[in-house]
């Protein structure tokens, strides 16, 4: 029995917690731990998007779920520049703007994650081959995002 859907859902919860910590922080008194929680959540969300786009979505697309996958990729494409901006704001100690962006990102994630958890992840458990599910399970435990990887929904000049 695969655990892919469960692992991806758990990552959603962990990422939410990290972003929520900064969203609710006092911008005049952000601790090193609060900043690190947000940076860790950003890195985890980038890797999560990478694994979805490179290993989960292609077999779902091949199985006919073109529309739902396209919507997810477009939503990733809206989040990705927000993650760049959030890292920049944290680097500049611009915590009020960073907290506001975290609140916006949490709204985007709430809608996005719900669709993945209700539609795409259950479909993945049914549609992916046992070999694909095993590979994804292994990657979720071990993979690192390649340097310079950018999600497919970001418009490239
Ligand atoms: Fe996603
Ligand atoms: Fe996801």
């Amino acid at each position: 029995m695969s655990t892919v859907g469960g692992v991806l859902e758990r990552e959603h919860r962990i990422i939410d917690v990290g972003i929520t910590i900064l969203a609710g922080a006092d911008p005049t008194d952000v601790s090193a731990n609060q900043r690190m929680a947000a940076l860790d959540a950003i890195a985890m969300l980038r890797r999560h998007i990478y694994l979805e786009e490179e290993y989960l979505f292609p077999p779902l697309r091949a199985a006919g779920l073109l529309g739902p996958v396209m919507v997810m990729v477009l939503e990733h494409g809206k989040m990705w520049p927000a993650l760049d901006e959030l890292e920049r704001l944290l680097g500049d100690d611009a915590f009020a703007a960073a907290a506001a962006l975290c609140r916006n990102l949490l709204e985007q994630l709430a809608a996005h994650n719900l669709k993945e958890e209700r539609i795409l992840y259950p479909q993945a458990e049914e549609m992916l081959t046992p070999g694909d599910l095993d590979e994804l399970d292994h990657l979720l435990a071990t993979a690192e995002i390649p340097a310079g990887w950018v999600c497919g929904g970001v418009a490239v000049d």
Side-chain angles (χ1 to χ4, degrees), residues 29-50:
D29 187 24
V30 171
S31 71
N33 282 342
Q34 287 171 320
R35 180 207 294 262
M36 190 52 67
L39 289 170
D40 284 350
I42 293 167
M44 191 170 186
L45 180 51
R46 288 192 196 277
R47 176 184 177 274
H48 180 95
I49 288 173
Y50 160 70

Side-chain angles (χ1 to χ4, degrees), residues 12 18 21 26 47 59 77 88 116 127 139 149 156:
H12 286 171
I21 286 171
D26 173 356
R47 176 184 177 274
R88 192 184 64 74
E116 287 184 343
M127 290 177 157
L139 287 164
W149 188 88
V156 181

Side-chain angles (χ1 to χ4, degrees), residues 88-150:
R88 192 184 64 74
L89 291 169
L90 288 169
D92 290 346
D93 291 348
F95 294 123
L101 187 50
C102 282
R103 290 190 286 274
N104 178 283
L105 190 58
L106 284 171
E107 282 179 25
Q108 292 184 54
L109 283 169
H112 179 81
N113 292 347
L114 192 66
K115 283 177 270 189
E116 287 184 343
E117 290 170 20
R118 291 233 176 118
I119 299 165
L120 292 202
Y121 296 169
Q123 292 281 350
E125 301 284 346
E126 286 188 18
M127 290 177 157
L128 269 62
T129 65
D132 280 346
L133 286 169
D134 279 350
E135 185 190 13
L136 191 48
D137 205 30
H138 177 69
L139 287 164
L140 279 164
T142 60
E144 288 182 27
I145 185 168
W149 188 88
V150 173

